[in-house]
Structure formats: structure tokens, C-alpha cells
Amino acid sequence: MSTPPVVRVMEREARVLARLWRGMVFSTLLSPLLFLAAMGLGLGGLVKAHTGRVAGLTYLDFVAPGLMVASAMQLAANEAMWPVLGGVKWMKTFHATVATPITAGEIVVGYVLWVVVRAIGASTVFFVVAALLGAVPSAWGVLAIPAAALCAGAFAAPLAAYSVTLDTDLVFPVIMRVGVLPLFLFSGTFFPLSQLPSGLRPLAAMSPLWHGVELARGATTGTLHIGADIVHVLVLLACVGAGFAWGRRTFARRLTS
Amino acid sequence: MDPLIEARALTKRFGGFVAVDGIDFVIRPGEAFGFLGPNGAGKSSTMRMIGCVSPVSGGTLRVLGMDPAADGAQIRARLGVVPQEDNLDTELTVWDNLMIYGRYFDLPRAEIRRRAEELLEFVQLTDRRDSRVDPLSGGMKRRLTIARALINEPEVLLLDEPTTGLDPQARHMLWERLYRLKQDGVTLVLTTHYMDEAEQLCDRLVIMDAGRIVAEGSPRDLVATHATREVVELRFGRAAEQHAALARVRTLAPRVEPVADRLLVYTDDGDATAAAVTADGVGAASVLVRRASLEDVFLILTGRTLEE
Ligand SMILES: Nc1ncnc2c1ncn2[C@@H]1O[C@H](COP(=O)(O)OP(=O)(O)OP(=O)(O)O)[C@@H](O)[C@H]1O
Ligand SMILES: [Mg+2]
């Protein structure tokens, strides 16, 4: 009847959510849905009037999966920065947790899995709205949700591993502006990589977000490419695995010195 | 009885810095054991090693018959920890702090609810159960931290400076709760730099200074062994007078310790020494005779006061 330690770590986060869910739902969903309205409908209408299609898709169909996964990435980045530093530095709740049978490694894994659960929740709502707007032509579309979740994990794991080593949050806004925002804009989210200068394309293709967006777009538009998709999944899983391996070390070093 | 906690040449290094320098101690079931010492003595470092959240750098440590390096999680399952700094979960209510902490020990929810009711009663926070943690007073937070540490019904309770920063009333209330736990058979291990706390709570204690143990025993034995029965405190109007009087006073008693604002004269007969000092005309502005305490033991052993 025992519950895995990682799940017990997630229970704490679930309880915080149970208290604060209204604010959290609002703040995690408002921005992606506004983007969907502005880009998919507003800009999409313009694209339709001028050039018709993007990569063979209506602009709404093109941008919806991109926004869905990019929002999951942003959620993951946020949750893997400030709250992690809070747990180790401000509130020090992680220190309280390692005094119990839970280990530092279980804290990082449980926390990141919780971020993934939240990404699943946010992506599901986004998905339903996008489907109602007619932006999900394929029945395979639901697979975009696990794609977004995997992408969230690929960002959350290494970022949490890094955040726990810090003493101030000064670097977080820099990461947001210099790391997350460029990825958000240039990972095939709003336009295909073919629009980028050819020198930059391989760089953009290294972005975990691009792999996530490709997977999700393949799903919502029903254009799955098994070989390429396996590579996308493996790249994202590698980010999660590397993040966990690194996080186990950084969390242990910080919490049990 | 088999020791509950046993340390041999226990050492903690941070880089090149030695925070705990080869200490030995044995803590037996049911006793209240204290680490008394000034800032930086290595008390918290020792407590964190016992709590299996800080790897031992040298020597051996056995807790509950197990090795912290190998069996950390099993040991921690049977410990309660009140850290020096409160680390309550400020995103949760008082009640949820206990519920979640109980879940970390994998206790069933119904059982945690039962214990949480009892513990809130025990620390007199029942009427604050739905409050958030932030608005609680320092004493209430400390009591909640103790309740949280008891959620797994630990055999050993580790308390790192349980009452630092609390007002006298809050402190006495905590002492009373800790005393009741001890009556219930919980082994208490605590650190403090208050000698009255050590005297009130500890059956046995070690005095630490700069990473080493400088003395060990019951409060009464420590005073009997290292101090005299009584102390005469001489206060002077000006520091220069005190300085000038030191050599004179030293001819009247074997042991005199100057501290910031007074001379402490160690003697077995305080009244006689006070009379001698007055007759000799050293010019003290006030003369006070009192019993020797742990504070004096510390001063005699290290040449420093506990709180400076
Ligand atoms: N993580 C750490 N890294 C480096 N040095 C440390 C670390 N933790 C403690 N120290 C050093 O080890 C020494 C002992 O610290 P410790 O916290 O054990 O003392 P203490 O007796 O608990 O003091 P206090 O009464 O102030 O709480 C101090 O000099 C402290 O600066
Ligand atoms: Mg300390």
C-alpha cells in the first residue's frame, strides 16, 4: 500500500494547486489563448487573404500546435526557475523534505513530473479550444498533448537542475529573454524553419521546442512521419534523462552538503 | 542499554574548513542530550549529520544502530527534526503542513488526520488549523515545526536551537512541551546557546567550542567538576578601575575571570570572598554572590562567554 516517494512529492504540489487553482488556471491559460486568437484568427485571416497557406496548411492549423507546445515550454521554464529557488533558498521547503525518508533525487524527479502534469492540463484545455476553432483537422490530434508534455519535461528537468544551484533569481529574467523567448519565436512555432536564413536552420533544429512542435503539428494535421517522429521523441527524452541525471547531483549537493 | 546514537572521531569538513573536529559522544534511549556552545561551534553541523542530511567527512556515526551513509532514508523515517531555521511550507495552511509532511513519511491519510488533531492540541494551535503559516508568531511557528516533527511518532527528536528568538513565555511553554515528550519516552537531542535551557532540559550535555567537545556530563556534574560552588561578581564604575583591580583580586582567590563589564571570582565560599574583597578595598561598585552555572563552566574552559 506504499506510495512511491516521487508521487508523494507531487502530492504537495497538488495541494498547493488545490488552494490556488483559480489564479494558476487563469495565468497559465490566458496568454496562450490570446496568442491563438491574435495569431491564428487575426494574422491567419491576413495570411489567407494574401498567400493562402503556410507549409500547405491554413495559418490557424499551422500555428495552433506550435503555440500549444511553446506554451507548455514557457510553463515549464517558469515552474523550473522561481519555485525551485524558493524551495531551496527562500521558503527552504526542500530542506524540510529531505529530512524525511524522501531523497534529494526524488524531489527533483517528483517536482519535474508535477510540472509535466500541469503542462498536460494546460495543453488539454488549449487543445479543446483549438479543436473547437477547427484547428485540429486530424483525429491523431490528441497525440499533440503528450508531445507538449514531453517538451515541458525536456525543459523543466535541466532548468530545475540548474536553478537549484543558484543563490539569487537575477539570472532568471535573462534566461527568459535570451533563451526562452528566442526559442518561442524561432522554433517553427509561428513560421516554418525554411523562412530562416539557411545558416540558422540547423541551430533552430537543435531546439527541443522545434522537436516538440514538429511532433505536435504532425499529430494535429495527421501528417505523422514515423522515422522523424521517433528521432523527435528520442531527442526530447534525452533532454529529460540528462536533466534528471544532472538534477539528482545538483539537488543532492545543495540539500545534503 | 545500547546507545541510540554513537559518534567516534566524528568529523565534518567544508572544503578545507573543519567545522566538527573529531568528536565522540553516546546518546542513550530516553535521555535528553544537549550540545551547548557559541556561534560556529559546530552544533548544527553535528545535528545535520545525525539527521542524515549531511555526509560524514571522517570518523564513524551510528544512528539507531544504522549507518547514515547506507540507511539514511530508514533512519530519517524514525527521526523528528526541528531545524535551526523554520522551513514551514508558507504556501500551505497549518493543517496542510502536517498532512503533507505525514505523507512524506508515507503514512495513511486517516492516520495523519488523527495525529494532526492530537498534535495541534498538544502545541495549542487547534484554533489556527486553517490559517496560513505566514501570519503566525515566531513562537507559533516553532510549535508548528515541533508538531510537524512529531507526525511520524519519532523515537528521537532533533531540536536545533528550539527556542532562539522567542520571548520568555513562549520559551517556557516549549520547555514544558518538550518535558512532556521526554516523559513519554522520546529521546531529545538539542542544541542551544542558552545555559538555562541546557540546565532545564538536558540530562547530559557536551560543551562544544570551535568544533571540539571541551567537557561532558550532567549540568550539575559539569558545574561541580569545572567550576567552584559560588561566584562573586564584581562590577566597577569604569573599565580602567576594573583593569586596575584585577591583579589585587587575583591575590584573594585562585580563579578570576574578567568579562566585558565585570570580574567573576570563583570561590567555594562566596560570602567570605565577598567580605575579603570589600575589606581589601578594591573599590567595586557592586558585589554579588551567586551559585556557579554552566555559563561559568564555559567561561572557565574556553575563556569566553557563550553569547558574544
Ligand atoms: N555549508 C557550509 N559550508 C561552509 N561552511 C559551513 C557550512 N555550514 C557550516 N559551516 C561553517 O561551519 C562552522 C560551524 O557551523 P555550525 O552551523 O555547525 O555552527 P553552530 O554551532 O550551529 O552555530 P550557531 O550557534 O551560529 O548556529 C561555522 O564556521 C560555519 O560557518
Ligand atoms: Mg547552528
Side-chain angles (χ1 to χ4, degrees), chain B residues 38-45 47 84 160-161 191 193:
Chain B
N39 291 134
K43 305 182 297 294
S44 296
S45 303
M47 292 291 259
Q84 181 166 352
D160 197 351
E161 301 196 13
T191 76
H193 39 202

Side-chain angles (χ1 to χ4, degrees), chain A residues 12 15-20 91 93, chain B residues 87-102 116 120 125-136 140-141 144-145 147-148:
Chain A
R12 182 265 168 189
R15 205 163 268 251
V16 174
L17 183 76
R19 271 172 44 75
L20 307 173
M91 291 202 302
T93 43
Chain B
N87 54 23
L88 293 163
D89 196 326
T90 54
E91 289 185 300
L92 298 174
T93 61
V94 167
W95 179 259
D96 282 350
N97 263 276
L98 297 179
M99 288 304 294
I100 286 301
Y101 217 65
L120 285 183
L125 284 173
T126 303
D127 55 336
R128 304 302 294 264
R129 58 178 278 165
D130 296 321
S131 163
R132 287 172 40 111
V133 166
D134 266 332
L136 299 183
M140 288 175 178
K141 283 185 187 151
L144 179 57
T145 306
R148 188 183 71 174

